[in-house]
Amino acid sequence: MSAHLGRRLRKGATSGAVMAAAVAALAASQAPEMIPPPADNAGGDRAIGAGDTAPPSGDGSATGDSPYYTVLPPLNTPNKPGTSTNLPVITGPAEAGIPASVLSAYKRAEQSIRSTDPGCNLPWQLLAGIGKVESGQARGGKVDANGTTLKPILGPVLNGVGFANISDTDRGAYDGDSTHDRAVGPMQFIPSTWATWGQDANSDGKRDPNNIYDAAQAAGLYLCANDRNLALKADLDRAILSYNRSREYLNTVTSWFEYYKRGTHQVPDGTGVFPVDRSDDRGRGNRPTPPFSPFPTSPDPKPSDSGAPKPKPKPTRPGEPSKVTPPPTKPTTPTKPPVTPPTKPPTVPPAVRVDRLTTVSTGQLTATTESVFTKAPTVAALDGSGAPVAGVTVRFEITGTTDARFSGGATTVTVTSGSAGIAAAPALRAGEKTGAFTVRAVVVGNSAKAAEFTATVTERQADALARVAGDPLSATTGTAFTQPVQAKATLKGAVAAGVLVEAKVVVSATATEESTEGPYFKNAAGDTVRTLVLKTDANGLISLPELLAGDKAGEYVLILTARGGVSTEIKLTVTAPAATPTPTPTPTSDPSPSGTGSPEASPSPSA
C-alpha cells in the first residue's frame, strides 16, 4: 500500500481526494517525506501547490524550476540508535549511502558557511537532500579526484516547452547552448544564477558548476540568502522553494533531508544509488507530462454513458415510501486558480558578488625595526565586470615568523570596503625581528578571493657615530674608569634612535677579536665580558655601563660600531699603581748620662 501510494505521489495524483488519502496514509505510516509545508509562507516565496501553475520564467529560483528526481526515501530509516527497525523495507540500505567526495563537499560547505554565517544554521543534510533530488548525488558520485563530474550534468533545454523559457545568458559557456539556458552540474544551477553565486571552494582557480565542492558551497550560500535561519521551519521551506518553486519539490527534498538526518554512511565514489522517476518523465502515449500539471479538484471522472438503455427503477411495494430521484444540484462556479505572486529574488550578499581582490598598495611594504610601515596593505573588492563592491568585510592576516603587529597588537583585523570598494588595513608596526613576512587579505564568506602582500623588516641604521665629549679614559689596575662613556648615532644628520651599537674591548685598533685581558664589563649575571650590544635611545645616545680596568696594565682600544657599519674608537690606558717608597732607618739613642754611649766606669776599690 505504501509503495503504491509513493508511486502515486511521484507520478501525480488524479484527484484531490486521492491526494488527501495518500497524505493521510503515508503520515500514518510514519513516512519521513510527508512533513507538511508551512501554512504561512510570507515573504514572497509562497509554495506552488500541486495544482498551481509554474511562473513562465526561472527568475527567483536557482534551477529555473528544472525537472528533478521524485523518488522518495525508504520508509525505514538508517540503522540509527533509537529508530524503529520494524518499518517496511522498500529499497535497500544503500539509499543511506553518500559517495565519499560528495559527502565531503557537503560537510566542507557546512563548516565554511557556519564559520562565516553562523546565524544561518546550515545543515549539510539539507545539501545532501537537494543533491539527491537534483542529480542523484552527482550520478552516484561519478566524480574525479578533484570532485568534478566525469561528464557534465545538464538539464533539459529551457525553451518554454514543458519548462520555463530562459534565453541564453552565458553564451553556452556552461551548458553548451547559446540559444537557451540549461541547468548545470550536480546542484543544477542555471547559468545566470551561477554567475552570481558560483564559488571556487576547492581553490583551483575556477568556479565550476560541475565541481561538487564549488556547487555545494554555492548552494549553501544561496539557501542562506535573505538572512534566513534554517533552524526555523518557515525559513527552511522558503529556502527550498527558492531553489525550485514546487510543493512536490519541497516535500521531496524535505523527506530526504529528514531521512539523512537519521543517519548516513559513506560509500566509494561512483557506487551511489542513482535515482529514477524524474518529474519530466513521459506518460502514456509517449506524451510529455508537464512538470507542474494541475491536479483536478474533483474525484476521478467516471466512464461516460455508452448510450445503452438504462434499467427502469423497480416499483416500490405498497406502504413503502417512493424513492424519488433528487433533482440535479446546480453546478458550482469553478474557482479561479490562485495567482502566484512573483518570488522575491534572493538578496546577494556583498561577499558573494566579489569576483576578486586587487592590491591597491604599490611597491613593497618595508619598515625598519620598531617603526611604523609607511604604507598600509590596501585592496579593492571588484565584481566580475570590474565594478567596485561596497560593504564587503575583508580580513587582513599577518602570517610568518614576525613580531610585527597591527594597531593594538593584533595579528588579524577586519575592515569593510567603502563606496569605491577600497579596504585598507590599519597601521602596521614592525617589531624587533628582521626579515620578510606576509599579509593576506581575504573576503569573509568567500575564502577563494585572496590577495597577498610581502612585508620586510630591516635593522635601523646610522651613518655617523661619535663619542660625546669627555676626558681621556685611564685607570690603574684593579680599579674602574671613572669617566662616563657616551656616544651618539645619527642618520643623514638626524638623530638615529633604536640603532644597535656594539661595544668591544680589543688590544689595538686593527684587532678584530676581543681582548682576553685588560678592561672589561660585568653582565647582568656578574660574568666578565668584553663585548656588549646596546641600543640608542630616543636621542640617539648610548651610555656604557661601568668599565673596569682589569689586572693587566697597558694600552687598549674600545671600538663602538653601529648598524650600518660606522664606528668610533676610544683609547683606554691602564697603568700600574705607583711604587711605595722604602722608609729610612732611624739611629739608636745613647742611654748613658755622659752621652758617650758607653757604660759608666765603676770606682776602683782602692779609691
Side-chain angles (χ1 to χ4, degrees):
M1 175 65 178
S2 298
H4 172 69
L5 290 176
R7 290 193 295 274
R8 293 292 296 275
L9 282 176
R10 292 193 289 271
K11 292 296 185 181
T14 59
S15 70
V18 173
M19 183 66 179
V23 171
L26 282 174
S29 67
Q30 304 180 38
E33 60 269 23
M34 294 313 300
I35 296 174
D40 178 16
N41 195 18
D45 287 337
R46 189 178 70 82
I48 295 179
D52 294 340
T53 302
S57 72
D59 292 343
S61 70
T63 63
D65 297 333
S66 293
Y68 49 89
Y69 292 101
T70 58
V71 63
L72 297 172
L75 294 182
N76 64 312
T77 60
N79 187 19
K80 182 178 180 180
T83 60
S84 173
T85 58
N86 299 320
L87 296 174
V89 175
I90 296 178
T91 58
E95 289 290 348
I98 300 178
S101 293
V102 179
L103 181 60
S104 172
Y106 295 151
K107 291 185 175 181
R108 182 187 295 186
E110 178 199 58
Q111 182 179 14
S112 172
I113 294 172
R114 283 185 179 267
S115 67
T116 59
D117 187 8
C120 175
N121 293 303
L122 172 71
W124 67 262
Q125 292 90 343
L126 176 59
L127 297 175
I130 290 177
K132 179 70 173 181
V133 170
E134 293 294 347
S135 68
Q137 311 297 18
R139 291 176 174 163
K142 293 182 179 179
V143 297
D144 62 19
N146 295 321
T148 302
T149 57
L150 300 180
K151 294 182 179 179
I153 300 177
L154 298 175
V157 177
L158 300 177
N159 56 5
V161 181
F163 311 109
N165 187 355
I166 305 179
S167 298
D168 174 66
T169 60
D170 67 331
R171 298 182 180 179
Y174 293 122
D175 55 14
D177 191 328
S178 58
T179 304
H180 292 89
D181 273 348
R182 303 173 70 175
V184 183
M187 303 305 279
Q188 287 290 279
F189 279 97
I190 55 175
S192 58
T193 304
W194 183 258
T196 300
W197 294 89
Q199 299 292 302
D200 178 17
N202 64 347
S203 301
D204 65 352
K206 297 183 295 183
R207 297 187 300 170
D208 185 358
N210 281 299
N211 182 275
I212 185 59
Y213 291 98
D214 294 357
Q217 177 84 2
L221 291 170
Y222 184 90
L223 294 168
C224 289
N226 294 334
D227 296 325
R228 295 190 185 105
N229 178 3
L230 301 183
L232 302 178
K233 187 65 169 66
D235 278 4
L236 176 66
D237 289 347
R238 291 188 186 100
I240 297 172
L241 288 167
S242 75
Y243 217 87
N244 193 311
R245 298 167 300 173
S246 161
R247 185 174 296 277
E248 182 190 29
Y249 182 85
L250 170 66
N251 290 338
T252 307
V253 169
T254 303
S255 70
W256 282 108
F257 172 46
E258 294 295 331
Y259 181 75
Y260 286 139
K261 284 201 300 184
R262 290 181 172 89
T264 60
H265 60 273
Q266 177 179 296
V267 298
D269 288 345
T271 64
V273 175
F274 188 72
V276 294
D277 292 339
R278 274 199 337 186
S279 63
D280 63 338
D281 283 345
R282 293 183 178 271
R284 290 189 299 270
N286 200 33
R287 291 171 298 177
T289 302
F292 304 111
S293 299
F295 287 153
T297 56
S298 60
D300 291 339
K302 296 182 178 180
S304 60
D305 293 341
S306 62
K310 297 180 181 180
K312 295 182 179 180
K314 295 180 179 180
T316 59
R317 294 180 180 179
E320 288 184 356
S322 61
K323 297 181 180 179
V324 180
T325 302
T329 58
K330 184 180 181 180
T332 58
T333 303
T335 59
K336 293 182 180 181
V339 178
T340 303
T343 57
K344 178 183 178 182
T347 301
V348 182
V352 175
R353 293 169 51 203
V354 177
D355 179 73
R356 63 189 184 276
L357 289 178
T358 60
T359 58
V360 176
S361 303
T362 56
Q364 285 193 339
L365 301 177
T366 59
T368 56
T369 52
E370 298 184 298
S371 65
V372 177
F373 283 78
T374 56
K375 297 178 181 178
T378 305
V379 296
L382 305 177
D383 64 14
S385 65
V389 182
V392 177
T393 302
V394 178
R395 181 171 61 243
F396 292 91
E397 305 169 338
I398 297 175
T399 61
T401 304
T402 181
D403 54 359
R405 297 291 183 266
F406 293 113
S407 299
T411 58
T412 302
V413 294
T414 55
V415 180
T416 302
S417 64
S419 58
I422 302 297
L428 181 63
R429 184 178 182 83
E432 294 182 350
K433 291 183 179 179
T434 60
F437 61 94
T438 300
V439 178
R440 190 168 187 264
V442 297
V443 175
V444 176
N446 193 343
S447 59
K449 317 303 178 187
E452 292 186 348
F453 301 85
T454 298
T456 306
V457 179
T458 58
E459 285 186 325
R460 305 183 80 174
Q461 298 183 353
D463 57 12
L465 181 66
R467 181 190 175 194
V468 177
D471 297 332
L473 295 179
S474 62
T476 57
T477 55
T479 66
F481 292 87
T482 58
Q483 305 91 333
V485 179
Q486 278 190 323
K488 184 174 184 178
T490 56
L491 179 63
K492 297 181 180 179
V495 168
V499 176
L500 297 179
V501 178
E502 180 188 74
K504 180 190 294 186
V505 177
V506 295
V507 295
S508 69
T510 59
T512 57
E513 300 295 328
E514 66 179 30
S515 175
T516 57
E517 55 189 5
Y520 62 91
F521 303 100
K522 289 282 189 180
N523 62 14
D527 300 324
T528 297
V529 294
R530 291 184 171 85
T531 301
L532 291 177
V533 177
L534 307 171
K535 184 185 295 184
T536 60
D537 60 18
N539 297 316
L541 294 173
I542 58 165
S543 297
L544 270 65
E546 183 180 47
L547 180 60
L548 303 174
D551 298 329
K552 178 74 172 180
E555 298 289 334
Y556 301 90
V557 176
L558 175 63
I559 298 180
L560 304 178
T561 306
R563 294 294 188 267
V566 295
S567 62
T568 187
E569 301 169 1
I570 303 174
K571 184 178 179 180
L572 304 176
T573 302
V574 179
T575 59
T580 303
T582 303
T584 304
T586 56
T588 303
S589 60
D590 184 4
S592 64
S594 61
T596 60
S598 58
E600 191 173 301
S602 300
S604 169
S606 59

